[in-house]
Amino acid sequence: MIVDIAIVGLGPAGASAAAIAARSGLSVAGFDRKSSAGHPVQCAEFIPAMLDAGELAISSSSVQKIDEMITYVEGSGPDLTKNFSGHMIDRQMFDASLVQIAEEAGAKCHFGASAKALDDRGRLILSTGERVAAKIILGADGPRSIIGAAVGSENEQIIETRQVSVELLSPHFATDIYLSNAFPGGYGWMFPKGKIANIGIGVEAGERPRLRAALDALVEQIAATGQVGRKVLGYTGGPIPAGGLIQPTGKIGETPIILAGDAAGLANPITGAGISVAVATGRLAGEAAASYLHGGGVGALELYAEELEDDYGASLRRAVARRKNLRDWSNKNGALQAAEMRSGWIAYPEYWHAEQAA
């Protein structure tokens, strides 16, 4: 297969890039290891309004609105954060709608076809055995990106997550956050989604063996309040990049490489939020790829890297610094105090203090 642009990963970043690039008149082919768009879901499905990328909040995939945040801090709390609005979405429907937009723009989207490697000429080698030659390759294949690894841009810090869906027994319009030493390097959550609730936890990659027991305990803790049922309706989970922005461009042979979304380390290292950033950076990546091929050359790729730094660099560095503070305090004292936990969470003023930022 020979195309102008090959995109690996057709989640929010890849599908958004495909739509933008195809509209510019270029031939675009996207590939995803999943059998269909957005399935299985590996996401908590919450989009904060402050991070909404354009039309996301009014998308038909919105299931319910969120009005506030309640943070439960081990040893104290809970603390209410009003006017923390957003939307719980149906992630499978959301991803499918973005792929449909890309296909309507002219992109060819292939599912059940993952990228296994890049050869030394910059051609994609697919799981089907097919090779794809492209003038430019865009990696939107998640935290453990094969495309990023091929050019030496890898996410070195990872949060591992596990989530269950259970019945929500009474209407709820807040995101519930649980900060605890039981979740080292991460946090627990309960996000209401209509008649169900997503309950999950994230931890440092090295703590992955603790995930199941810690999640079972959190589900029991919440179920004991009568807020949710105990019957598990579904499981999901996956890695989230937690080291901040990595080098988003590179080259193999004569083939330029662009990374977007989680593949470029753009999820927030504290909250894990990454859906809207994936859409926004996918669009930027699609524009950069099209500009490169329409005569912009290397300057288009350099501009893309500068845009990511300008838009996301400072907030990602702050989050990385907070994670480092929490890790250092925990290593020194064996456990975090409530005040230390608050300084590492976005609901509290301490998080935003400039003197604590790196």
Side-chain angles (χ1 to χ4, degrees):
M1 187 185 300
I2 301 174
V3 294
D4 291 322
I5 302 173
I7 298 175
V8 180
L10 287 168
S16 298
I20 292 290
R23 288 190 193 119
S24 75
L26 297 167
S27 60
V28 179
F31 306 92
D32 197 291
R33 62 181 175 82
K34 294 181 177 180
S35 59
S36 61
H39 180 76
V41 173
Q42 294 176 285
C43 178
E45 302 182 289
F46 175 57
I47 299 179
M50 70 178 74
L51 298 178
D52 180 29
E55 72 277 11
L56 294 189
I58 58 173
S59 165
S60 60
S61 60
S62 176
V63 176
Q64 76 159 72
K65 289 186 177 181
I66 295 295
D67 299 322
E68 55 196 18
M69 178 193 296
I70 302 173
T71 306
Y72 295 84
V73 184
E74 184 176 62
S76 63
D79 298 315
L80 174 64
T81 303
K82 293 185 177 181
N83 301 317
F84 186 81
S85 60
H87 284 252
M88 287 296 295
I89 64 169
D90 181 320
R91 177 63 190 272
Q92 185 173 353
M93 184 184 297
F94 178 74
D95 282 22
S97 68
L98 291 178
V99 168
Q100 181 179 349
I101 291 170
E103 291 178 329
E104 290 172 350
K108 305 298 182 183
C109 298
H110 305 268
F111 289 89
S114 60
K116 291 179 64 178
L118 289 170
D119 66 21
D120 56 8
R121 294 172 57 186
R123 294 179 301 181
L124 281 177
I125 304 173
L126 302 179
S127 57
T128 59
E130 189 171 14
R131 290 177 186 254
V132 181
K135 296 175 183 176
I136 191 166
I137 295 175
L138 198 155
D141 50 337
R144 296 192 174 102
S145 169
I146 289 175
I147 306 305
V151 293
S153 287
E154 299 183 76
N155 289 296
E156 296 181 354
Q157 296 183 43
I158 294 290
I159 295 172
E160 293 288 353
T161 70
R162 184 178 176 90
Q163 177 177 275
V164 296
S165 296
V166 297
E167 184 182 5
L168 184 65
L169 300 179
S170 59
H172 192 61
F173 298 94
T175 56
D176 291 357
I177 303 298
Y178 297 84
L179 306 181
S180 168
N181 286 295
F183 316 135
Y187 67 97
W189 64 84
M190 194 283 281
F191 293 169
K193 183 187 167 188
K195 295 182 178 181
I196 67 171
N198 291 336
I199 301 177
I201 61 173
V203 296
E204 295 273 10
E207 301 292 339
R208 185 176 180 179
R210 299 174 58 170
L211 273 174
R212 182 167 184 171
L215 180 55
D216 289 347
L218 180 59
V219 171
E220 178 58 34
Q221 175 185 336
I222 300 172
T225 69
Q227 195 172 21
V228 301
R230 290 179 170 85
K231 182 180 179 180
V232 174
L233 306 177
Y235 290 90
T236 188
I240 298 173
L245 178 63
I246 58 179
Q247 176 59 37
T249 61
K251 186 182 257 191
I252 292 183
E254 295 303 314
T255 306
I257 305 294
I258 302 178
L259 304 177
D262 282 1
L266 287 160
N268 185 285
I270 288 290
T271 68
I275 300 174
S276 57
V277 175
V279 172
T281 60
R283 291 171 178 165
L284 289 175
E287 291 171 357
S291 176
Y292 175 89
L293 294 177
H294 285 308
V298 176
L301 307 186
E302 293 173 346
L303 179 59
Y304 171 68
E306 290 173 5
E307 287 180 305
L308 294 189
E309 170 58 33
D310 290 345
D311 292 348
Y312 305 106
S315 62
L316 290 174
R317 282 192 294 276
R318 175 183 282 111
V320 169
R322 297 298 177 270
R323 284 184 59 78
K324 184 178 185 304
N325 288 343
L326 294 173
R327 189 182 302 112
D328 289 346
W329 289 330
S330 180
N331 289 340
K332 180 179 179 180
N333 301 316
L336 294 171
Q337 301 300 311
E340 293 169 337
M341 293 181 193
R342 288 191 178 92
S343 74
W345 185 247
I346 61 170
Y348 300 104
E350 297 92 327
Y351 179 90
W352 304 99
H353 287 171
E355 64 270 17
Q356 292 188 10

